[in-house]
Amino acid sequence: MPSSQVLPAFNMVQALNSALKEEMARNPDVVVMGEDVGRDGGVFRVTEGLYDAFGPQRVIDTPLSESGIVGMAIGMAAHGLVPVVEIQFMGFIYPAFDQLVTNAARIRARSRGRFSCPIVVRTPYGAGVKAIELHSESTEALFSHIPGLKVVVPSTPYTAKGLLVSAIRDPDPVIFLEPTRLYRMIKEELPAEEYAIPLGKARNAKEGNAVTIISWGSMLHRALKAAEPYDADVLDLLTLSPYDEGAVLASVKKTGRVVIVQEAPKSCGFASEISACIAEKAILHLRAPVMRVAAFDVVLPFARLEEYYMPGIKNIREAIEETLRY
Amino acid sequence: MPSSQVLPAFNMVQALNSALKEEMARNPDVVVMGEDVGRDGGVFRVTEGLYDAFGPQRVIDTPLSESGIVGMAIGMAAHGLVPVVEIQFMGFIYPAFDQLVTNAARIRARSRGRFSCPIVVRTPYGAGVKAIELHSESTEALFSHIPGLKVVVPSTPYTAKGLLVSAIRDPDPVIFLEPTRLYRMIKEELPAEEYAIPLGKARNAKEGNAVTIISWGSMLHRALKAAEPYDADVLDLLTLSPYDEGAVLASVKKTGRVVIVQEAPKSCGFASEISACIAEKAILHLRAPVMRVAAFDVVLPFARLEEYYMPGIKNIREAIEETLRY
Amino acid sequence: MPETVLDTFEIKRLDILDARGNADPALMPPLGGAEIKKMYEYLAIARTFDDRALSMQREGRIGTYASIRGQEASQVGSALAFDKKDLIFPSYRESGVFIARDYPLHMLFQFWSGDERGMKVPGDINIFPICISVSTHLPHAAGAAAAAVYKKEKTAVAAYFGDGATSKGDFHEGMNLAGVFNAPAVFICQNNQYAISMPRSRQTAAKTIAQKAVAYGFKGIQVDGNDVFAVYRATKEAVENAKAGGGPTLIECYTYRLSDHTTADDASRYRSREEVEYWLARDPIARLRLYMEKQGLSGGKYEEEVREKAESLVDDGIKKMEETGPAEPQDMFTYTYQGPTARLSAQIRSFSPGAV
Amino acid sequence: MPETVLDTFEIKRLDILDARGNADPALMPPLGGAEIKKMYEYLAIARTFDDRALSMQREGRIGTYASIRGQEASQVGSALAFDKKDLIFPSYRESGVFIARDYPLHMLFQFWSGDERGMKVPGDINIFPICISVSTHLPHAAGAAAAAVYKKEKTAVAAYFGDGATSKGDFHEGMNLAGVFNAPAVFICQNNQYAISMPRSRQTAAKTIAQKAVAYGFKGIQVDGNDVFAVYRATKEAVENAKAGGGPTLIECYTYRLSDHTTADDASRYRSREEVEYWLARDPIARLRLYMEKQGLSGGKYEEEVREKAESLVDDGIKKMEETGPAEPQDMFTYTYQGPTARLSAQIRSFSPGAV
Ligand SMILES: Cc1ncc(C[n+]2csc(CCOP(=O)(O)OP(=O)(O)O)c2C)c(N)n1
Ligand SMILES: Cc1ncc(C[n+]2csc(CCOP(=O)(O)OP(=O)(O)O)c2C)c(N)n1
Ligand SMILES: [Mg+2]
Ligand SMILES: [Mg+2]
């Protein structure tokens, strides 16, 4: 944290809130919109206080209409605003998938730059909070396959704030995935002054030489915990699209062993992309198979079984041990 | 082709049409539905003649309503029918993405088997026909990441018919992607008698020992062409979810070299999954990096530039040469 | 050639039972005393279930729960207008509908405790599992209704949803498709005035939900959702009309959610005490009780018996749910596909429940 | 408490100019001779453009094309009712709208020849690039209109779409949102009676498209879409109302697609010759011509001059398009993001246009 002056410790919700507040204060074109983001402050309270501070013109309570909300944001962006949309849970982003893929991602290309789409779509993401069905999705891989979109996943209050600031300032559409499990799990002191964390750069969360562990979001913390006994290099990707290929390859070249940890089902998950990148560009440096620790390829179970579904520390350690056996 | 008696040569459109006709004749619960599938016979004529043969109750012209069409099909399936939905182009499947991911894929799990969703969603897929925007999508990877869905891609008239028969008989939802470029490109004699090709099995399209080339759909043919001068083992995956891991690993273990060819943008495409599987389970057998030949991570250009975007034979050969250098 | 009028539309509202327990005899549906008592008992079970579910949640014995308090008449009154073989597509706020269909209470508790076995709907009950993603089940209802026609069954299909749900594309597509296919579907909107914090007036500029049916070429009607007779009558008519080939109906049950949106919500952040009190005075169950008293349907120990029966049913449900315990972890592999794929079989073999 | 009527709605239709070229003076919009001539000229350019695009497609000089024949009045009449700074969101069948906004014709040809540079909308023309995915641009229009209010501009926004488009969820969500935000949006439905092969009657059970506005709490009106004055008047009123804070309007232009859906379609598979002939007799351009003759607006060589001007404009467009040649292949990398990402930069370096 490159700061001397600090504020009281923030959890991720508060960090996000302060990013929104500051960017709204800096740029009058930034508006926040979504279901219950206004008077109610959002179901996780990320937008709390914004309605009172900026009024209903800039903190816009919308009808229950995900496709329409994202579609409106696209139109607003085309007309000069910078909308930050909240989708209540990632399980409800699918109705807006068409707008994101068909329009948000392509407006710049379709109009050869005459129009652009500087929107941010924020949504709580991931399991581990014992919620009901469709409140625990982690389908980041879908969005990461779409050229024209960017995909960002913070892992701490500090990164959440700095990345959201960058996402809002980014001239292209950003899917901003907030790990629900982390919303209130970690507190951190934040710099008092303005800061932004550039998109597209991974963070080294722990340095080591024996094995590279790559993760993002809520699994990063399990990966860190699992890595404790090892001389592991732990990479926190932060941006999934475009991801920091350079950081991945550099670490793999150093250690020769890789474990990638993702919460989503294994097949066609984001870990597969990282693994494929390594298999293509760093294979001569590998001393062990590239292991993916991921959820099973099953429909996400309800709360009572969700822990069995997600990768646990034991699974991660097993994978680390496996790579170290080579 | 395990048949002695043959019919006149079929192109893929005719092969699909005959699969539909035969399955409809065999099972009165099979219905076909979609935009313009009835009187008009479908924009590619895949459903031609069905309306006259089976009537408007079973060949259902629907309003322009992709989410509603798939949603209706889910309800029809829950009530005992076997709907085969046509989505006019893959670019218009996104409005139905929510229904597919949120409901079709989960009805069985959500109801613990009380209800199921034996629907097929067919759609023309892929570029190379100089169509207008959104008529050339190849986002198979998205669907392959969703547990509960199956994803099938035929590559010839013979496989198209046999796989569609299996898809219709499958008790779970199947996304059936029909490479538009191949609709009329290849003609093949088909067995006169009923046949089905099991889902989940890859096909060896060319045997060889020096390098494994893995592809599916329209790219399979470019891969075959590119492979001509080489002692290549060419695998046609046919089913992407669940894919034939056994066949992939067996071939890789034989050759030690792999090139995967996909039409879609590279990042998080289906090739990444295959590569990751190999990097995890067959790395000790590899003698070269696992190469992916794919489109660039750009918004799909319009017709006049599309050939620059898609992998060409030259690109595939370069990748083969590269793996052979090791 | 002046401006001409192509068509005119009237949106009506049906009220039968007033707040003092008087029913309009001209509109009163033909219900016998036993039927009215049955109605009342379901309402009582629904209220008891709801109360207990809320306290169970506070005690940490179940997860987040969506209360139906205030909406019991809308739910029970409408559900009872369907035949057993009619298929119902519910949302997450339909405990009263499940209860009126004799759904095992322990399974409802299971569902709300995060156990999908609660939605393994028994074979003799025709209700779809709870749909969490708002509005996505409306096209399902249109499809099931169309399938019933295809199969030449005399089956009606219902979809239940909230006022917020009417803003979604799938509301529109489901309603429009049902209209085009003249499907025997009844669309029942529980207009409880809020979608979480969003008041009905901010959900749509239309003054009623009922008038949205105009867009689909079929009938829409508003009923007093706290009036079990009006709800029942309107639904019964819609069901009969649907079965007679008359196509779909949209019914707007004008009611109020007396509790928070769910146990994770705090409604005091966005609505006034006075508003809630206004609606408390219009409690749908109290109103039926007054009617029954006036009609001599509830003398003696009746009230107490109903309460006891409701409590013991709910207690049994809780007991059974808590005795059942969680599902086997392996259970999560069983229902993704009909049989496990080869890939999944390998994953199952690698699974050790001792994980985490 | 009997059934009460909550609200009533009237759906009106506006006709001004009849098939014999007589305009209702009471309804005739205040257009001067020069303005009417301008209208006529745009109609002529639109017709000429369309004819030439169809033959260019047959000659393989452009790709699949969607003809507007028969819909010129609906498009030109409505587009001319907007100010230059108003923003229009078109679908793929709006050549007439582009033309009425003085969009460079060579760029339209470029678009239809598969060259996205045709949609690099010039800075002084306020039209969004063509939206291929049906209805998805309606929420954009709602958003842009809301943004105009936010920015305190007096700007109206238009969305153009077909009858088939009204079945999509995004039609509903866009209209509903525009209603809720009282946005200055005008929704212009080109009801050309078909969505590819699907007749309007199978698209929705509603008898008119106009009545769908009832669902959103704002005004809907049907106009004779082959009557350029009725289209102009209804649109002008909607634009003025929108700018005055009166919110959105839905305008159903009742017209007919005289050609195939696109050059890839064969309409004879699904509609009769008689039907087409009925509509041929109602040609929107011929009707205005009759009016102008009666009003003495088109004497002498006027007709010929208009035709010549239209032809030379279109010829120039074709020439310019064909001279321009295809874009540089590298162009496909330029517009995915504002600047290329690191990953994309590496891909650009690996790109050799000699591929295939
Ligand atoms: C598609 C979708 N978006 C958002 C949510 C989150 N959510 C759950 S309930 C609700 C409000 C629903 O309001 P309404 O339709 O009026 O039903 P009510 O809860 O009042 O019964 C929201 C926004 C959801 N479940 N589904
Ligand atoms: C979402 C979507 N689904 C399907 C299509 C394919 N398609 C192109 S035009 C069309 C019919 C549109 O009918 P209508 O809205 O009446 O417009 P028209 O073509 O008659 O102008 C269809 C189905 C599409 N472009 N977008
Ligand atoms: Mg509600
Ligand atoms: Mg049309």
Side-chain angles (χ1 to χ4, degrees):
Chain A
M1 223 182 305
S3 166
S4 47
Q5 230 196 317
V6 294
L7 301 171
F10 281 65
N11 64 25
M12 192 184 283
V13 167
Q14 296 161 326
L16 292 164
N17 182 269
S18 85
L20 291 171
K21 207 175 298 170
E22 291 174 21
E23 284 306 295
M24 289 185 81
R26 265 175 225 131
N27 180 356
D29 289 334
V30 175
V31 299
V32 161
M33 59 196 288
E35 296 157 15
D36 308 291
V37 298
R39 179 126 15 126
D40 200 36
V43 288
F44 283 104
R45 308 282 172 248
V46 172
T47 57
E48 183 144 279
L50 300 181
Y51 184 89
D52 291 336
F54 300 100
Q57 305 302 317
R58 295 189 65 193
V59 186
I60 307 168
D61 269 322
T62 65
L64 209 172
S65 185
E66 284 82 5
S67 181
I69 296 166
V70 171
M72 264 192 94
I74 293 169
M76 292 161 91
H79 211 75
L81 301 186
V82 180
V84 183
V85 169
E86 175 172 306
I87 297 291
Q88 215 155 59
F89 286 93
M90 195 180 195
F92 311 130
I93 204 173
Y94 305 129
F97 196 74
D98 186 36
Q99 283 292 352
L100 290 167
V101 171
T102 302
N103 294 315
R106 306 189 205 216
I107 293 292
R108 180 186 294 283
R110 189 176 294 153
S111 68
R112 305 277 95 185
R114 162 73 196 271
F115 296 99
S116 63
C117 190
I119 67 173
V120 179
V121 179
R122 302 175 33 244
T123 189
Y125 141 88
V129 293
K130 303 251 182 266
I132 57 172
E133 204 197 351
L134 287 164
H135 288 62
S136 308
E137 304 289 294
S138 51
T139 44
E140 65 273 21
L142 307 182
F143 300 91
S144 305
H145 185 44
I146 306 298
L149 299 181
K150 295 184 178 180
V151 181
V152 173
V153 184
S155 59
T156 59
Y158 177 76
T159 56
K161 179 170 179 182
L163 289 166
L164 184 53
V165 166
S166 293
I168 294 172
R169 296 177 188 176
D170 197 272
D172 288 302
V174 179
I175 311 293
F176 195 88
L177 303 173
E178 302 168 0
T180 322
R181 207 164 67 91
L182 305 183
Y183 265 154
R184 297 189 161 82
M185 197 170 91
I186 309 159
K187 286 205 160 206
E188 226 175 4
E189 286 175 348
L190 299 186
E193 63 273 24
E194 177 184 333
Y195 72 99
I197 300 177
L199 306 189
K201 288 266 160 252
R203 176 178 77 100
N204 197 294
K206 170 172 158 46
E207 281 212 59
N209 294 295
V211 56
T212 296
I213 304 180
I214 301 171
S215 196
W216 54 93
S218 131
M219 281 299 127
L220 189 262
H221 297 277
R222 289 210 174 160
L224 276 173
K225 183 93 193 132
E228 270 168 13
Y230 304 96
D231 178 21
D233 213 41
V234 180
L235 270 194
D236 179 3
L237 285 182
L238 296 179
T239 302
L240 305 191
S241 177
Y243 64 94
D244 190 345
E245 194 176 297
V248 168
L249 296 178
S251 177
V252 171
K253 286 176 185 169
K254 175 170 74 172
T255 66
R257 295 181 166 86
V258 198
V259 174
I260 312 163
V261 187
Q262 96 187 358
E263 185 183 307
K266 189 165 195 172
S267 289
C268 288
F270 191 78
S272 303
E273 170 59 30
I274 297 295
S275 174
C277 171
I278 295 166
E280 201 162 57
K281 299 195 174 156
I283 203 162
L284 298 183
H285 302 268
L286 285 179
R287 302 189 223 173
V290 181
M291 305 296 293
R292 288 169 296 164
V293 184
F296 301 103
D297 287 318
V298 300
V299 172
L300 217 165
F302 285 13
R304 283 177 108 171
L305 298 185
E306 76 178 354
E307 271 302 340
Y308 296 103
Y309 159 86
M310 292 160 71
I313 288 167
K314 180 159 161 285
N315 306 126
I316 303 170
R317 291 216 170 123
E318 278 166 9
I320 296 173
E321 291 289 344
E322 167 103 26
T323 65
L324 292 175
R325 264 198 292 282
Y326 285 83
Chain B
M1 223 186 306
S3 164
S4 46
Q5 231 196 314
V6 291
L7 300 172
F10 281 66
N11 65 25
M12 193 185 282
V13 167
Q14 296 161 327
L16 293 163
N17 182 270
S18 86
L20 291 170
K21 207 176 295 169
E22 292 173 21
E23 284 307 292
M24 289 186 81
R26 265 173 225 131
N27 181 355
D29 290 334
V30 175
V31 298
V32 161
M33 59 196 289
E35 295 157 17
D36 308 293
V37 298
R39 180 128 11 128
D40 200 37
V43 287
F44 284 105
R45 308 283 174 248
V46 172
T47 58
E48 182 145 277
L50 301 180
Y51 184 88
D52 290 335
F54 300 101
Q57 305 301 316
R58 296 188 65 194
V59 185
I60 308 167
D61 268 322
T62 65
L64 210 172
S65 184
E66 285 80 8
S67 182
I69 296 167
V70 171
M72 262 194 97
I74 293 169
M76 292 162 93
H79 211 75
L81 300 186
V82 179
V84 183
V85 170
E86 175 172 307
I87 297 291
Q88 214 153 62
F89 284 93
M90 196 182 195
F92 312 131
I93 204 172
Y94 306 128
F97 196 74
D98 186 35
Q99 282 292 353
L100 290 167
V101 171
T102 303
N103 293 315
R106 306 189 206 216
I107 292 293
R108 181 187 294 284
R110 188 177 294 154
S111 69
R112 304 278 95 185
R114 163 72 196 275
F115 295 99
S116 63
C117 189
I119 68 173
V120 179
V121 179
R122 302 176 31 246
T123 190
Y125 140 88
V129 294
K130 302 252 183 260
I132 56 173
E133 203 197 353
L134 287 164
H135 289 62
S136 309
E137 303 289 294
S138 52
T139 44
E140 65 272 21
L142 306 181
F143 300 91
S144 305
H145 186 45
I146 305 299
L149 298 181
K150 296 184 177 178
V151 181
V152 174
V153 186
S155 59
T156 60
Y158 177 75
T159 55
K161 178 169 178 182
L163 289 166
L164 183 53
V165 166
S166 292
I168 294 172
R169 295 178 189 175
D170 197 273
D172 288 300
V174 178
I175 310 295
F176 195 88
L177 303 174
E178 303 169 357
T180 321
R181 207 165 66 93
L182 304 183
Y183 265 156
R184 297 191 160 83
M185 197 171 90
I186 308 160
K187 284 204 160 205
E188 223 175 8
E189 287 176 347
L190 299 185
E193 62 275 20
E194 175 184 334
Y195 72 100
I197 300 176
L199 305 189
K201 288 267 160 256
R203 177 177 77 98
N204 197 293
K206 170 173 159 48
E207 280 210 61
N209 294 295
V211 56
T212 296
I213 303 179
I214 301 173
S215 195
W216 53 93
S218 130
M219 282 298 129
L220 189 261
H221 297 279
R222 291 211 171 159
L224 275 173
K225 183 94 194 132
E228 270 169 14
Y230 304 96
D231 179 22
D233 214 39
V234 181
L235 270 192
D236 179 4
L237 284 183
L238 297 179
T239 303
L240 304 191
S241 177
Y243 64 93
D244 191 345
E245 192 176 300
V248 168
L249 297 178
S251 177
V252 171
K253 285 175 185 170
K254 178 170 74 172
T255 66
R257 296 181 164 87
V258 200
V259 174
I260 313 165
V261 186
Q262 95 186 359
E263 186 183 308
K266 191 165 195 173
S267 288
C268 288
F270 191 77
S272 304
E273 170 58 31
I274 297 295
S275 174
C277 171
I278 294 166
E280 199 163 58
K281 298 195 175 157
I283 204 162
L284 297 184
H285 302 268
L286 285 178
R287 302 187 222 172
V290 182
M291 305 296 292
R292 290 169 294 165
V293 184
F296 301 103
D297 288 318
V298 300
V299 172
L300 216 165
F302 284 13
R304 281 176 109 169
L305 297 185
E306 76 179 353
E307 271 303 339
Y308 297 102
Y309 159 86
M310 292 162 71
I313 288 167
K314 177 160 164 284
N315 305 125
I316 303 171
R317 290 218 172 122
E318 278 168 8
I320 295 172
E321 292 288 344
E322 167 104 27
T323 66
L324 291 175
R325 265 198 289 281
Y326 286 83
Chain C
M1 273 192 291
E3 270 196 321
T4 49
V5 174
L6 292 174
D7 216 341
T8 57
F9 303 93
E10 262 188 355
I11 300 302
K12 291 189 181 157
R13 167 161 171 132
L14 181 66
D15 292 270
I16 297 177
L17 184 64
D18 71 14
R20 275 150 295 125
N22 299 313
D24 183 331
L27 294 170
M28 182 67 195
L31 290 165
E35 285 171 297
I36 293 174
K37 283 177 149 185
K38 191 81 201 150
M39 235 174 205
Y40 184 71
E41 285 157 35
Y42 279 125
L43 290 171
I45 299 168
R47 176 67 55 95
T48 308
F49 174 87
D50 196 67
D51 281 345
R52 295 297 299 278
L54 287 170
S55 53
M56 296 271 290
Q57 191 280 332
R58 277 191 298 274
E59 293 157 16
R61 291 158 74 191
I62 61 170
T64 305
Y65 172 71
S67 167
I68 60 165
R69 196 176 184 99
Q71 303 180 218
E72 295 90 345
S74 286
Q75 302 193 356
V76 170
S78 53
L80 291 178
F82 288 90
D83 292 330
K84 271 196 90 155
K85 68 177 191 345
D86 296 334
L87 182 57
I88 290 179
F89 290 80
S91 87
Y92 50 82
R93 196 187 302 286
E94 257 80 61
S95 303
V97 174
F98 279 89
I99 286 166
R101 293 228 128 185
D102 298 317
Y103 199 84
L105 297 187
H106 76 279
M107 293 179 71
L108 287 184
F109 282 118
Q110 265 182 321
F111 173 81
W112 291 110
S113 73
D115 183 340
E116 39 270 85
R117 290 173 308 169
M119 282 299 128
K120 190 180 173 72
V121 180
D124 59 338
I125 298 182
N126 288 314
I127 194 163
F128 220 57
I130 284 175
C131 181
I132 295 292
S133 184
V134 166
S135 268
T136 62
H137 56 309
L138 271 72
H140 306 169
V149 174
Y150 180 79
K151 300 201 155 215
K152 301 199 167 54
E153 301 167 3
K154 277 254 169 288
T155 307
V157 173
Y160 282 82
F161 52 93
D163 44 313
T166 65
S167 299
K168 288 276 302 173
D170 272 354
F171 163 84
H172 176 72
E173 299 200 15
M175 297 269 289
N176 190 55
L177 287 162
V180 165
F181 292 104
N182 198 39
V186 184
F187 294 100
I188 303 173
C189 179
Q190 303 275 300
N191 175 4
N192 64 4
Q193 313 304 331
Y194 284 91
I196 309 186
S197 72
M198 277 294 272
R200 217 296 287 139
S201 58
R202 297 290 315 281
Q203 198 63 241
T204 177
K207 273 190 261 143
T208 66
I209 301 294
Q211 77 197 55
K212 291 181 182 282
V214 170
Y216 312 107
F218 54 79
K219 187 181 165 189
I221 183 172
Q222 188 183 84
V223 302
D224 178 350
N226 288 11
D227 167 351
V228 73
F229 295 143
V231 173
Y232 178 83
R233 186 195 165 104
T235 313
K236 194 83 188 169
E237 279 178 14
V239 170
E240 282 165 6
N241 182 54
K243 290 187 183 178
T249 305
L250 169 62
I251 300 173
E252 174 185 4
C253 297
Y254 195 89
T255 179
Y256 194 78
R257 187 195 81 210
L258 288 169
S259 302
D260 298 323
H261 169 71
T262 65
T263 50
D265 176 52
D266 172 10
S268 72
R269 290 172 73 96
Y270 51 79
R271 65 189 193 184
S272 71
R273 221 188 142 79
E274 296 74 56
E275 184 185 297
V276 178
E277 268 157 18
Y278 170 90
W279 282 96
L280 274 171
R282 277 151 190 80
D283 188 293
I285 304 185
R287 197 186 295 192
L288 181 59
R289 192 183 306 125
L290 283 176
Y291 171 83
M292 289 169 71
E293 280 166 11
K294 289 190 180 177
Q295 301 288 322
L297 283 170
S298 62
K301 295 203 170 136
Y302 179 72
E303 257 303 312
E304 204 181 307
E305 279 164 22
V306 169
R307 191 168 35 78
E308 271 168 16
K309 188 185 156 201
E311 277 175 5
S312 95
L313 268 172
V314 172
D315 283 341
D316 285 355
I318 294 173
K319 190 152 165 264
K320 194 152 172 206
M321 179 274 280
E322 292 194 328
E323 278 168 9
T324 308
E328 289 296 311
Q330 282 84 348
D331 198 43
M332 74 179 157
F333 293 103
T334 313
Y335 297 106
T336 296
Y337 300 100
Q338 188 180 69
T341 64
R343 222 176 131 65
L344 212 43
S345 297
Q347 295 189 2
I348 295 170
R349 284 192 298 277
S350 79
F351 176 62
S352 64
V356 193
Chain D
M1 271 190 293
E3 269 193 323
T4 49
V5 173
L6 291 174
D7 215 341
T8 58
F9 303 93
E10 262 187 356
I11 300 303
K12 290 192 183 154
R13 168 162 171 131
L14 181 66
D15 291 269
I16 296 177
L17 184 63
D18 71 15
R20 274 151 296 125
N22 299 314
D24 182 331
L27 294 169
M28 183 66 196
L31 290 165
E35 283 171 296
I36 293 173
K37 282 179 153 183
K38 190 84 200 148
M39 236 173 204
Y40 184 72
E41 284 156 34
Y42 280 126
L43 289 172
I45 300 169
R47 176 68 55 95
T48 307
F49 174 86
D50 197 67
D51 281 345
R52 294 298 299 276
L54 287 170
S55 53
M56 295 271 290
Q57 191 281 332
R58 275 192 299 273
E59 294 158 14
R61 292 158 74 190
I62 62 170
T64 304
Y65 172 71
S67 166
I68 60 164
R69 196 175 183 98
Q71 301 180 220
E72 295 90 345
S74 286
Q75 301 192 358
V76 171
S78 52
L80 291 178
F82 289 89
D83 291 331
K84 269 195 93 157
K85 70 178 187 346
D86 297 333
L87 181 58
I88 290 180
F89 290 79
S91 87
Y92 49 84
R93 197 187 301 288
E94 257 82 59
S95 303
V97 174
F98 279 88
I99 286 167
R101 292 228 130 187
D102 298 318
Y103 198 85
L105 297 186
H106 75 280
M107 293 179 73
L108 287 184
F109 283 117
Q110 265 183 322
F111 173 80
W112 291 109
S113 74
D115 184 338
E116 40 270 84
R117 289 175 307 169
M119 283 298 128
K120 189 177 174 74
V121 181
D124 59 338
I125 298 182
N126 288 313
I127 193 162
F128 220 57
I130 285 177
C131 180
I132 295 291
S133 185
V134 167
S135 268
T136 62
H137 56 309
L138 271 72
H140 307 170
V149 174
Y150 179 80
K151 299 202 155 213
K152 300 199 167 57
E153 302 167 2
K154 278 254 169 283
T155 307
V157 173
Y160 281 83
F161 51 95
D163 44 311
T166 64
S167 299
K168 289 274 304 174
D170 272 353
F171 163 84
H172 176 73
E173 299 198 16
M175 296 268 290
N176 190 57
L177 288 162
V180 165
F181 292 104
N182 197 40
V186 184
F187 294 100
I188 302 173
C189 179
Q190 302 275 301
N191 175 5
N192 63 4
Q193 314 302 332
Y194 285 90
I196 309 187
S197 73
M198 279 292 274
R200 218 298 284 135
S201 58
R202 297 290 312 284
Q203 198 64 241
T204 176
K207 274 190 261 145
T208 66
I209 301 293
Q211 76 197 56
K212 290 182 182 282
V214 170
Y216 312 107
F218 54 78
K219 185 181 167 191
I221 183 171
Q222 189 182 86
V223 302
D224 179 350
N226 289 9
D227 168 350
V228 73
F229 295 143
V231 173
Y232 178 83
R233 185 192 166 105
T235 313
K236 194 85 190 168
E237 278 178 18
V239 170
E240 281 165 7
N241 182 53
K243 291 187 183 176
T249 304
L250 169 62
I251 300 174
E252 173 186 4
C253 297
Y254 195 88
T255 181
Y256 193 78
R257 188 193 83 210
L258 288 170
S259 303
D260 299 322
H261 168 70
T262 64
T263 50
D265 177 50
D266 171 8
S268 73
R269 291 171 72 96
Y270 53 79
R271 65 188 192 184
S272 70
R273 221 189 142 78
E274 295 75 57
E275 185 184 296
V276 178
E277 268 157 17
Y278 171 90
W279 283 96
L280 273 171
R282 277 152 190 80
D283 188 293
I285 303 184
R287 198 185 294 192
L288 181 60
R289 192 181 307 126
L290 283 177
Y291 171 85
M292 289 170 70
E293 281 166 11
K294 289 189 180 175
Q295 301 289 323
L297 286 170
S298 61
K301 294 204 170 138
Y302 179 70
E303 257 305 309
E304 204 181 306
E305 277 164 22
V306 170
R307 190 168 36 79
E308 270 168 20
K309 186 183 158 203
E311 275 173 11
S312 93
L313 268 172
V314 171
D315 283 339
D316 284 355
I318 293 171
K319 188 153 166 266
K320 192 151 177 210
M321 181 273 282
E322 292 194 327
E323 279 169 9
T324 307
E328 288 297 310
Q330 282 84 345
D331 197 45
M332 72 179 160
F333 294 103
T334 313
Y335 297 105
T336 296
Y337 301 99
Q338 189 179 69
T341 64
R343 222 175 131 62
L344 212 45
S345 298
Q347 295 189 3
I348 295 170
R349 283 193 298 278
S350 78
F351 175 63
S352 65
V356 192

